[in-house]
Amino acid sequence: MDVAVIKLGVGNTASVMFALERVGANATLTNDPTQVRDAARVILPGVGAAAAAMRLLNQSGMAEVLRTFARPLLGICLGQQVLYDRSEEGSAAGLGLLPGTVAALEATPQRPAPHMGWSALRIEQHHALLEGVRSGDYAYFVHSYACPADANAIAQAEYGAVFAAAVARDNVFGCQFHPERSGAVGARILRNFLALPC
């Protein structure tokens, strides 16, 4: 198995699985902590509320597996947000794999939340996850909360404020956007993730 995709019931995992199939990955959708612990790589997708996602991760025993997972781990959208210490969404404690707090996007009449649609990426650091992706390439976002644009942000985007569009620290990676819905750019990032050394 190249990659275990965590089945939380709070995300569009079908589109992630189809995207992985298109790039030739041997992927398994699972909510079994043992399968996840033994996987070469793990993807944590998610759509919805941070508190609900963390409740499911804690109840299933998956949270502890992810905290100790030593091979490549990729969070997508909400999956990236729960990698952090905390989220303002429901005052949820996250996995604590990345420092910081996920904050609400400021909504205005001209810029409603959620941020939904295509936005340009700005590459901040050269990283293998973003090999072949350039500043100005577009990715597809759907989110109301955003991760801090700090030293772990390898790409940023802007929606009123600047936020982390992609992050990397040791074996932990994240995409605030949906690579599975981001065309050739997203497919390249998924291939890059599959090529990261375990």
Side-chain angles (χ1 to χ4, degrees), residues 136-194:
D137 285 348
Y138 278 77
Y140 188 80
F141 293 82
V142 182
H143 62 121
S144 297
Y145 288 78
C147 303
D150 59 14
N152 294 312
I154 57 174
Q156 297 179 356
E158 186 173 351
Y159 190 72
V162 175
F163 60 88
V167 296
R169 184 186 189 192
D170 300 326
N171 67 305
V172 177
F173 309 94
C175 295
Q176 180 61 70
F177 55 91
H178 289 268
E180 76 279 9
R181 298 176 67 183
S182 295
V185 168
R188 181 61 187 260
I189 289 169
L190 290 175
R191 288 191 189 95
N192 290 344
F193 176 70
L194 293 170

Side-chain angles (χ1 to χ4, degrees), residues 84-95:
Y84 284 79
D85 291 327
R86 298 201 62 79
S87 174
E88 289 181 355
E89 188 177 19
S91 298
L95 292 168

